[in-house]
Amino acid sequence: MCIWKPSEAAFGSAYQVLLRKIKQFLDRETANNRTTKAFGKTWLKNSFRNLTYLKNPIFFEPGSIPCIVAGAGPSLEEAIPLIVKALQQGPLLIVAAASAVPALLEHRIVPTLSVATDGGTWAAFHLFDQLRRVRQISTQQSNSLPFSLAVMLYAKTCSQAAQVPQIIISDGSQWQQRFLALLGIPFLQLPQRGTVSATLIDLALFLTTGKIYITGMDMGIRDIQTHARPYGLDFYLEERVNHLSPLYSIKFTRLHNGANTQALDVYAHWFDWYFANNRDRISVLGSKHPRFSMLPASENIYWDVSTEPAFYGMSSKIPIEQYSPTSLVSLFCSNILHSEDNEQMRQELSYLITGRRIHLSVPEIEKELTELFT
């Protein structure tokens, strides 16, 4: 990006504002393109596999009670006493990132929804950790969870979550919408944001007309602490500890390389805009947020009305439990990909497969999708 000095001299601060917005946009697009190139095929593979895991699709009627949205940032630990107090005062929705659920369960706080959006292989460990911790605090022997999941179609899940009721979230792409419609699976359409924190708030705004209280969305690290504890991926660092590499040293080296800070900065700039447009509905639970000063903060939660959302089960039109991922690919290709109005889907799928803005032919896409499971 080049700076045009005559324009800068002529327009001054207005030029700087526009330049900053362009840079933020380019940073987001660069991050999106890099992520899609790395994970596009994985997202496709997860999508078809997740449908074979789906035994109990659910949907909802919105309510009006307050909602706590919990990310996995370090500040969640400070908000735990406030959440416990609020649960004693009235009905609450708790919408939590899958990575934040272990910290809640550690204090016997059961969320309403655990939200999974990450497509990386490591994301399944958050679900494994939830299942393990639920068995520790539950009086009933069960291989399921006492709460529902909200899952981006391309997220990494696991077969152990098959019996858990799930809200399926589509990213709005045409190929996802048409395939889910063909299967008769209810879904919520939310834009792909790049961070689970944004999806949590988007989902909360659909679930209730009440006030939204956020916590654990730090957009930064605290010394060497990146997440609320316990955290489902702690084992990854702990197993590398030895007498020459203590845990503190491993965390310090890993965190202060600049890469993590850069990604958080991209998200934070986007949230500056997002919160500025939703400040009437969203507050911070606890003390004032150091980055998002436009948001009010409160240690107390207030109830105007107390209608809870209603969750209900729905069956799919097609018995997808009888399908394998490969047979679902065949069903998709024969019923949707080969349709006449497939141009938009070809663009979407080509980008996910190649990571580039090129158009593959229908036979090429069908071959690539089939080879995901061979």
Side-chain angles (χ1 to χ4, degrees):
M1 185 171 64
C2 298
I3 297 176
W4 186 245
K5 290 296 184 181
S7 295
E8 183 180 24
F11 298 102
S13 60
Y15 180 87
Q16 293 299 327
V17 170
L18 182 59
L19 190 68
R20 185 168 60 252
K21 290 184 179 298
I22 292 173
K23 183 180 184 304
Q24 291 169 5
F25 170 78
L26 292 175
D27 287 343
R28 288 197 301 271
E29 284 300 295
T30 300
N32 288 339
N33 290 335
R34 185 167 55 244
T35 303
T36 301
K37 186 173 183 178
F39 290 101
K41 286 188 176 182
T42 300
W43 291 340
L44 287 169
K45 189 172 184 177
N46 289 347
S47 298
F48 288 100
R49 180 162 285 154
N50 286 344
L51 290 171
T52 67
Y53 294 157
L54 184 63
K55 310 300 182 190
N56 296 300
I58 62 172
F59 210 67
F60 60 90
E61 291 291 338
S64 57
I65 58 175
C67 179
I68 293 176
V69 172
S75 64
L76 175 59
E77 293 183 24
E78 299 168 4
I80 292 290
L82 303 179
I83 298 174
V84 172
K85 182 180 75 170
L87 286 169
Q88 297 169 348
Q89 296 173 334
L92 278 177
L93 276 171
I94 301 179
V95 177
S99 54
V101 173
L104 296 174
L105 293 177
E106 181 75 5
H107 298 273
R108 296 184 177 272
I109 298 171
V110 178
T112 311
L113 287 173
S114 170
V115 183
T117 66
D118 198 328
T121 304
W122 58 85
F125 286 102
H126 295 305
L127 293 177
F128 296 151
D129 200 26
Q130 291 175 42
L131 289 161
R132 179 174 62 85
R133 292 181 185 279
V134 162
R135 286 195 290 269
Q136 291 175 350
I137 68 173
S138 176
T139 57
Q140 299 179 347
Q141 294 300 316
S142 174
N143 291 323
S144 186
L145 295 171
F147 46 84
S148 300
L149 299 175
V151 179
M152 274 285 188
L153 186 58
Y154 57 73
K156 178 65 176 179
T157 62
C158 57
S159 59
Q160 292 90 329
Q163 300 304 321
V164 182
Q166 297 182 31
I167 297 173
I168 294 297
I169 303 173
S170 164
D171 63 6
S173 57
Q174 189 179 106
W175 79 268
Q176 285 191 9
Q177 293 184 71
R178 291 185 60 175
F179 194 38
L180 290 169
L182 173 69
L183 298 173
I185 296 173
F187 64 92
L188 180 65
Q189 180 180 320
L190 296 177
Q192 189 176 16
R193 300 292 200 188
T195 170
V196 65
S197 296
T199 302
L200 292 172
I201 300 175
D202 285 340
L203 178 57
L205 291 170
F206 272 95
L207 286 167
T208 182
T209 58
K211 194 78 172 177
I212 309 295
Y213 297 84
I214 66 169
T215 180
M217 297 185 181
D218 298 46
M219 298 298 138
I221 60 177
R222 294 190 178 185
D223 191 23
I224 60 172
Q225 185 182 354
T226 57
H227 298 90
R229 298 161 294 186
Y231 182 64
L233 298 181
D234 284 343
F235 76 91
Y236 174 71
L237 298 180
E238 291 167 355
E239 68 183 8
R240 296 163 56 191
V241 172
N242 58 54
H243 67 286
L244 296 178
S245 297
L247 183 60
Y248 284 2
S249 296
I250 293 173
K251 287 187 174 182
F252 182 87
T253 302
R254 178 174 177 267
L255 296 178
H256 292 274
N257 59 13
N260 296 284
T261 304
Q262 183 180 8
L264 291 172
D265 284 343
V266 171
Y267 297 147
H269 285 308
W270 181 86
F271 272 113
D272 287 337
W273 166 84
Y274 186 86
F275 287 145
N277 289 279
N278 291 280
R279 68 182 75 188
D280 58 323
R281 290 281 309 277
I282 301 172
S283 298
V284 176
L285 181 62
S287 57
K288 198 75 173 174
H289 198 289
R291 170 62 192 252
F292 305 123
S293 58
M294 76 288 289
L295 293 179
S298 174
E299 294 189 353
N300 298 298
I301 289 177
Y302 300 96
W303 286 261
D304 295 325
V305 288
S306 56
T307 304
E308 299 186 38
F311 296 90
Y312 51 88
M314 297 183 70
S315 58
S316 59
K317 294 178 183 177
I318 295 175
I320 54 176
E321 65 274 6
Q322 300 177 13
Y323 283 78
S324 67
T326 304
S327 58
L328 279 178
V329 168
S330 298
L331 181 69
F332 171 76
C333 292
S334 59
N335 286 270
I336 295 179
L337 186 59
H338 284 278
S339 61
E340 293 183 0
D341 55 339
N342 65 5
E343 183 64 24
Q344 180 64 36
M345 285 186 292
R346 282 181 54 212
Q347 293 179 24
E348 295 167 352
L349 293 167
S350 297
Y351 182 43
L352 290 172
I353 290 168
T354 66
R356 294 179 292 159
R357 304 289 184 179
I358 62 174
H359 289 186
L360 299 178
S361 67
V362 169
E364 288 173 325
I365 294 173
E366 187 169 3
K367 177 176 179 292
E368 291 283 353
L369 292 177
T370 302
E371 288 180 350
L372 291 174
F373 301 99
T374 57

